[in-house]
Amino acid sequence: MVVTKSGSIYQKVQLHAAFWRMSDELGKPVLVDNGGKTMAGIGSCNLTAESPMVASRGYYALLYGDGNKVYRWNYTTSQRLDQTSVHATVGSAQAVITGLELSSDQKETFVAFYEPEEKGLNGHVWVIDTDKGTILRKYDNVCYRPVKIMYKKK
């Protein structure tokens, strides 16, 4: 569990397998925070229940995709969820990230995305540095729209 304070606003987030839960009151998925209530007064956040995401315990960060951008939220600092920064950008402006996966040592993050305007094999996997966000390797046109990415150590 992580509790942070920014000014007069407290944010409590429990990081576990059930990061989202269905709110009977709102009828939509919400973050498991402050008893399941949405984070009132914290502004808009581009993280949703459908966002591809992966949490790195080694770097105390949640990486999530939105469009062609990978965002990084440092959950052990006082950084609020609506103040996440762009960690890496993949593909063109039309690219859509569909999956994220960490290597076993968590130093590399595999980002699966597709380019909707490309014909044929429009799926790509780029490897970024989990800590710095730099692009380490690119595997272009390796599949159709990726659904899930899994990492297997050789």
PDB file of all heavy atoms in Angstrom, residues 82-100:
ATOM      1  N   ASP A  82      -2.363  12.109 -11.836  1.00  0.00           N
ATOM      2  CA  ASP A  82      -2.623  12.996 -12.969  1.00  0.00           C
ATOM      3  C   ASP A  82      -1.380  13.783 -13.377  1.00  0.00           C
ATOM      4  O   ASP A  82      -1.415  14.570 -14.309  1.00  0.00           O
ATOM      5  CB  ASP A  82      -3.782  13.949 -12.658  1.00  0.00           C
ATOM      6  CG  ASP A  82      -3.457  14.932 -11.548  1.00  0.00           C
ATOM      7  OD1 ASP A  82      -2.641  14.597 -10.672  1.00  0.00           O
ATOM      8  OD2 ASP A  82      -4.031  16.030 -11.556  1.00  0.00           O
ATOM      9  N   GLN A  83      -0.260  13.559 -12.704  1.00  0.00           N
ATOM     10  CA  GLN A  83       0.980  14.264 -13.030  1.00  0.00           C
ATOM     11  C   GLN A  83       2.035  13.324 -13.602  1.00  0.00           C
ATOM     12  O   GLN A  83       3.216  13.612 -13.574  1.00  0.00           O
ATOM     13  CB  GLN A  83       1.547  14.945 -11.777  1.00  0.00           C
ATOM     14  CG  GLN A  83       0.648  16.017 -11.230  1.00  0.00           C
ATOM     15  CD  GLN A  83       1.151  16.544  -9.893  1.00  0.00           C
ATOM     16  OE1 GLN A  83       1.898  15.874  -9.181  1.00  0.00           O
ATOM     17  NE2 GLN A  83       0.731  17.747  -9.556  1.00  0.00           N
ATOM     18  N   THR A  84       1.593  12.198 -14.156  1.00  0.00           N
ATOM     19  CA  THR A  84       2.539  11.259 -14.742  1.00  0.00           C
ATOM     20  C   THR A  84       3.192  11.886 -15.961  1.00  0.00           C
ATOM     21  O   THR A  84       2.621  12.738 -16.624  1.00  0.00           O
ATOM     22  CB  THR A  84       1.838   9.952 -15.167  1.00  0.00           C
ATOM     23  OG1 THR A  84       0.765  10.265 -16.040  1.00  0.00           O
ATOM     24  CG2 THR A  84       1.336   9.190 -13.970  1.00  0.00           C
ATOM     25  N   SER A  85       4.396  11.441 -16.242  1.00  0.00           N
ATOM     26  CA  SER A  85       5.134  11.987 -17.369  1.00  0.00           C
ATOM     27  C   SER A  85       5.269  10.937 -18.464  1.00  0.00           C
ATOM     28  O   SER A  85       5.192   9.735 -18.210  1.00  0.00           O
ATOM     29  CB  SER A  85       6.517  12.441 -16.906  1.00  0.00           C
ATOM     30  OG  SER A  85       7.211  11.362 -16.316  1.00  0.00           O
ATOM     31  N   VAL A  86       5.474  11.421 -19.691  1.00  0.00           N
ATOM     32  CA  VAL A  86       5.699  10.511 -20.810  1.00  0.00           C
ATOM     33  C   VAL A  86       7.085   9.906 -20.627  1.00  0.00           C
ATOM     34  O   VAL A  86       8.080  10.619 -20.508  1.00  0.00           O
ATOM     35  CB  VAL A  86       5.596  11.242 -22.161  1.00  0.00           C
ATOM     36  CG1 VAL A  86       5.971  10.311 -23.308  1.00  0.00           C
ATOM     37  CG2 VAL A  86       4.197  11.798 -22.357  1.00  0.00           C
ATOM     38  N   HIS A  87       7.132   8.599 -20.577  1.00  0.00           N
ATOM     39  CA  HIS A  87       8.386   7.878 -20.361  1.00  0.00           C
ATOM     40  C   HIS A  87       9.034   7.510 -21.688  1.00  0.00           C
ATOM     41  O   HIS A  87      10.249   7.555 -21.829  1.00  0.00           O
ATOM     42  CB  HIS A  87       8.092   6.625 -19.533  1.00  0.00           C
ATOM     43  CG  HIS A  87       9.279   5.923 -18.995  1.00  0.00           C
ATOM     44  ND1 HIS A  87      10.241   6.552 -18.233  1.00  0.00           N
ATOM     45  CD2 HIS A  87       9.680   4.636 -19.116  1.00  0.00           C
ATOM     46  CE1 HIS A  87      11.173   5.670 -17.900  1.00  0.00           C
ATOM     47  NE2 HIS A  87      10.861   4.504 -18.435  1.00  0.00           N
ATOM     48  N   ALA A  88       8.216   7.145 -22.687  1.00  0.00           N
ATOM     49  CA  ALA A  88       8.714   6.797 -24.018  1.00  0.00           C
ATOM     50  C   ALA A  88       7.581   6.951 -25.024  1.00  0.00           C
ATOM     51  O   ALA A  88       6.404   6.863 -24.671  1.00  0.00           O
ATOM     52  CB  ALA A  88       9.226   5.360 -24.039  1.00  0.00           C
ATOM     53  N   THR A  89       7.951   7.185 -26.271  1.00  0.00           N
ATOM     54  CA  THR A  89       6.991   7.274 -27.366  1.00  0.00           C
ATOM     55  C   THR A  89       7.377   6.235 -28.411  1.00  0.00           C
ATOM     56  O   THR A  89       8.550   6.138 -28.776  1.00  0.00           O
ATOM     57  CB  THR A  89       6.996   8.685 -27.987  1.00  0.00           C
ATOM     58  OG1 THR A  89       6.697   9.637 -26.970  1.00  0.00           O
ATOM     59  CG2 THR A  89       5.966   8.802 -29.089  1.00  0.00           C
ATOM     60  N   VAL A  90       6.403   5.458 -28.863  1.00  0.00           N
ATOM     61  CA  VAL A  90       6.675   4.406 -29.841  1.00  0.00           C
ATOM     62  C   VAL A  90       5.896   4.673 -31.121  1.00  0.00           C
ATOM     63  O   VAL A  90       4.803   5.239 -31.089  1.00  0.00           O
ATOM     64  CB  VAL A  90       6.325   3.008 -29.293  1.00  0.00           C
ATOM     65  CG1 VAL A  90       7.193   2.651 -28.102  1.00  0.00           C
ATOM     66  CG2 VAL A  90       4.859   2.904 -28.936  1.00  0.00           C
ATOM     67  N   GLY A  91       6.468   4.268 -32.253  1.00  0.00           N
ATOM     68  CA  GLY A  91       5.783   4.350 -33.529  1.00  0.00           C
ATOM     69  C   GLY A  91       5.373   5.748 -33.926  1.00  0.00           C
ATOM     70  O   GLY A  91       5.932   6.740 -33.471  1.00  0.00           O
ATOM     71  N   SER A  92       4.350   5.798 -34.804  1.00  0.00           N
ATOM     72  CA  SER A  92       3.841   7.084 -35.284  1.00  0.00           C
ATOM     73  C   SER A  92       2.794   7.621 -34.310  1.00  0.00           C
ATOM     74  O   SER A  92       2.446   6.969 -33.329  1.00  0.00           O
ATOM     75  CB  SER A  92       3.210   6.896 -36.668  1.00  0.00           C
ATOM     76  OG  SER A  92       2.013   6.148 -36.553  1.00  0.00           O
ATOM     77  N   ALA A  93       2.262   8.782 -34.635  1.00  0.00           N
ATOM     78  CA  ALA A  93       1.239   9.393 -33.781  1.00  0.00           C
ATOM     79  C   ALA A  93      -0.043   8.563 -33.755  1.00  0.00           C
ATOM     80  O   ALA A  93      -0.835   8.663 -32.815  1.00  0.00           O
ATOM     81  CB  ALA A  93       0.935  10.813 -34.255  1.00  0.00           C
ATOM     82  N   GLN A  94      -0.266   7.707 -34.775  1.00  0.00           N
ATOM     83  CA  GLN A  94      -1.471   6.884 -34.832  1.00  0.00           C
ATOM     84  C   GLN A  94      -1.294   5.532 -34.149  1.00  0.00           C
ATOM     85  O   GLN A  94      -2.250   4.773 -34.019  1.00  0.00           O
ATOM     86  CB  GLN A  94      -1.879   6.632 -36.292  1.00  0.00           C
ATOM     87  CG  GLN A  94      -2.382   7.865 -37.013  1.00  0.00           C
ATOM     88  CD  GLN A  94      -1.246   8.773 -37.462  1.00  0.00           C
ATOM     89  OE1 GLN A  94      -0.159   8.299 -37.770  1.00  0.00           O
ATOM     90  NE2 GLN A  94      -1.492  10.069 -37.463  1.00  0.00           N
ATOM     91  N   ALA A  95      -0.097   5.194 -33.710  1.00  0.00           N
ATOM     92  CA  ALA A  95       0.170   3.890 -33.086  1.00  0.00           C
ATOM     93  C   ALA A  95      -0.663   3.716 -31.823  1.00  0.00           C
ATOM     94  O   ALA A  95      -0.973   4.679 -31.131  1.00  0.00           O
ATOM     95  CB  ALA A  95       1.649   3.756 -32.754  1.00  0.00           C
ATOM     96  N   VAL A  96      -1.017   2.456 -31.545  1.00  0.00           N
ATOM     97  CA  VAL A  96      -1.821   2.125 -30.367  1.00  0.00           C
ATOM     98  C   VAL A  96      -1.104   1.015 -29.595  1.00  0.00           C
ATOM     99  O   VAL A  96      -0.908  -0.080 -30.109  1.00  0.00           O
ATOM    100  CB  VAL A  96      -3.233   1.655 -30.763  1.00  0.00           C
ATOM    101  CG1 VAL A  96      -4.035   1.284 -29.515  1.00  0.00           C
ATOM    102  CG2 VAL A  96      -3.951   2.709 -31.574  1.00  0.00           C
ATOM    103  N   ILE A  97      -0.729   1.320 -28.352  1.00  0.00           N
ATOM    104  CA  ILE A  97      -0.066   0.326 -27.497  1.00  0.00           C
ATOM    105  C   ILE A  97      -1.116  -0.658 -26.998  1.00  0.00           C
ATOM    106  O   ILE A  97      -2.163  -0.265 -26.494  1.00  0.00           O
ATOM    107  CB  ILE A  97       0.651   1.010 -26.322  1.00  0.00           C
ATOM    108  CG1 ILE A  97       1.783   1.896 -26.841  1.00  0.00           C
ATOM    109  CG2 ILE A  97       1.188  -0.023 -25.333  1.00  0.00           C
ATOM    110  CD1 ILE A  97       2.451   2.757 -25.780  1.00  0.00           C
ATOM    111  N   THR A  98      -0.807  -1.957 -27.143  1.00  0.00           N
ATOM    112  CA  THR A  98      -1.762  -2.997 -26.730  1.00  0.00           C
ATOM    113  C   THR A  98      -1.232  -3.879 -25.616  1.00  0.00           C
ATOM    114  O   THR A  98      -1.992  -4.646 -25.044  1.00  0.00           O
ATOM    115  CB  THR A  98      -2.136  -3.884 -27.927  1.00  0.00           C
ATOM    116  OG1 THR A  98      -0.936  -4.441 -28.477  1.00  0.00           O
ATOM    117  CG2 THR A  98      -2.877  -3.092 -28.989  1.00  0.00           C
ATOM    118  N   GLY A  99       0.057  -3.788 -25.296  1.00  0.00           N
ATOM    119  CA  GLY A  99       0.596  -4.643 -24.240  1.00  0.00           C
ATOM    120  C   GLY A  99       1.944  -4.183 -23.747  1.00  0.00           C
ATOM    121  O   GLY A  99       2.727  -3.592 -24.494  1.00  0.00           O
ATOM    122  N   LEU A 100       2.203  -4.427 -22.481  1.00  0.00           N
ATOM    123  CA  LEU A 100       3.486  -4.135 -21.849  1.00  0.00           C
ATOM    124  C   LEU A 100       3.897  -5.354 -21.038  1.00  0.00           C
ATOM    125  O   LEU A 100       3.053  -5.989 -20.412  1.00  0.00           O
ATOM    126  CB  LEU A 100       3.388  -2.929 -20.907  1.00  0.00           C
ATOM    127  CG  LEU A 100       3.050  -1.575 -21.521  1.00  0.00           C
ATOM    128  CD1 LEU A 100       2.707  -0.579 -20.429  1.00  0.00           C
ATOM    129  CD2 LEU A 100       4.202  -1.061 -22.347  1.00  0.00           C
TER     130      LEU A 100
END
